[in-house]
Amino acid sequence: MFKGHKKGIIPNRFFNIFLILTFLLVSCANSSEQNSLQLFTNGTIYIDDTKKVENLLVENGSVKAINVSAKQLENASIVDLNGSTSYPGFIDSHVHLMESGYFIYVGANLFGCNSSDAIAKALADKVKSVPENGTILGAGFSLKNYDNWSIEDLAKIDAVTGNRPAFLGDMLGHNAIVNSAAINLTGLTATSRVPAGGKMGIENGRLTGMLRESAMTLPADKIFAKFDSRDIKEGTLLLLKRWASFGYTGAVDLMGGTGVRFMRPELFSEMEREGTLPLRINYCYTIFNLSDVDEAAIFSGNDTDMVRFLGCKIFVDGAFAAGQAWTSWENLQGNHGLQEIYTDDAGGQEKNLTRIVERVEEYGMNMHYHVQGDMAIRAVLDALDKVKAKRGNLRGIHTLIHLAFPDRELMERIKEFNGSVVATVQPAFWTVENDTAYYYGSHTDQAYPIKQLIDTGISVGMSTDFSVSPLEYSPAAIVTGIAVTGAGNTEVHLPLSVKEVVHSFTVGSTATTSRNDTGVLHPGYKADLVVYDRDLYSMPADKFSKESPRVLATYIGGKQIYKAQEA
């Protein structure tokens, strides 16, 4: 079931599925009081990726003891698992729920659109509902060659959108199209200064409306100022509930991309106060230069039980699926990909990764790095080595995201940081980014060596990177099925064991958050659980599907968050 998914071709049912999210039976945590003592029993209870216990005693949201005598706890409320199987809560350690939720909630569905004609057709119905002074948003398109976008293509979008500014993000989150109205609103011209790593489409001295990578930030202030917090909250909450139904109890929400920074953590906090937040949220602040680190530090010190500031996120190279992985070898397009940042002052102090890492360490913050090519990975490790040599140690946790092309030497270097440098990976990329030979030739088969990273001894978290991985590839069970089958191509992708996947979703993903109270259900840890109707360890590798195993419930701090409808 994991073969044959073509990049950019997302079934139309994606949007239909999203529109019925509100009808899911999702029971979010509420403010009503419950017995401070709970006994989870009558099921298979894994307290980590290996050990099973007879029961689990929870007090005030944390695990108090295991394998206790129920007869001596007559005052405890019983949580009867009815023969089902529970695990420590799964954490999606790299996902874009806030910006994706908003764009999908209010924008045009562009998934499956791979030409200007298809995009214009998809926009036509949406435009009818946008007032003349409104902004048109859309998300999900995918192009074979983004640099071929032309003035003629822009004219087709203008014909549909008229005088209303339009901002259309692609499936990868690394490219966007703006129409002529948006170009005029933001004052962009062919001579506008483009941030390092960015590119504007220009034809005969005129903008085509294509903004690549960091160029997406150019219209941000004026376009994104029009976004409504109420719509952002509603769209985000719908996706959060969906993620709970997928088996997740926590997430690392990047709250932005190469051109979008959705720093609205107060909306998560509002949900927590209202008792509607269905996931533990660890959020990042996307930075593009040295000065941004100081802005990010403002978010420190406001953590709550459910909402925590994780640290910074930075792009070191570009999108793998668009041929922009920064590599030491020349790709088939005759270049080495996209370098978003420098390793010295060649691009100025603001773009010096070593200075940026040192500033992050001075604040004691963590950092997540978008790295695909071997040169991007090497740049980060070189910067970390310099900072460590100067300071004597690393205070924060540094997470490498994606890692398409790490070689053996780089893997060993990561391991040598002894847990200060960790990774988060996306097995679904084996399927949704499997047609990149156009850019990388034979190197494509070497991409995303997840099993090798784990075997090296690196702490590896598991994640979806939704919406790059589409909705139907985001449930934890589907990710597991892809991982344990090598996406149906074990000659190219070494399959993982179920144990390795569970460990990555729990302990590995927790490591990317720097929390020390989730990932296992040992005494003292948060009582976050996901409950399935079947034991994942008993599932044949090729039988994981959207129907099986089925998520029955999730619990956060002992409170039931999600409960499945009875079959």
Side-chain angles (χ1 to χ4, degrees), residues 49 90-91 93 423-425 450 454 459-463 496 498-512:
D49 54 61
F90 289 173
I91 301 167
S93 48
T424 181
V425 298
I450 298 173
I454 292 173
S459 177
V460 174
M462 202 65 65
S463 51
L496 279 62
V498 173
K499 179 180 181 296
E500 288 170 329
V501 177
V502 171
H503 184 87
S504 295
F505 265 135
T506 54
V507 174
S509 285
T510 291
T512 72

Side-chain angles (χ1 to χ4, degrees), residues 38-58 63-69 79 81-88 520-523 527-529 535 537:
Q38 299 166 278
L39 187 65
F40 287 75
T41 188
N42 191 29
T44 302
I45 303 172
Y46 287 91
I47 60 172
D48 50 37
D49 54 61
T50 304
K51 187 176 180 179
K52 293 184 286 187
V53 296
E54 292 294 321
N55 56 47
L56 190 74
L57 182 64
V58 174
V63 178
K64 181 176 178 64
I66 57 176
N67 293 330
V68 299
S69 173
V79 181
L81 296 175
N82 291 309
S84 56
T85 304
S86 69
Y87 303 84
V520 296
L521 292 170
H522 299 167
D528 297 355
L529 299 86
D535 190 333
Y537 291 106

Side-chain angles (χ1 to χ4, degrees), residues 143 339 491 506:
L143 303 176
Q339 178 182 350
E491 292 184 3
T506 54

Side-chain angles (χ1 to χ4, degrees), residues 1 9 51 79 116 133 224 291 320 346 408 412 418 427-428 491 544 547:
M1 65 171 288
I9 306 299
K51 187 176 180 179
V79 181
S116 55
N133 62 347
F224 299 158
S291 297
F320 171 82
R408 177 58 59 184
E412 291 295 335
N418 296 318
E491 292 184 3
F544 285 86
E547 290 87 17

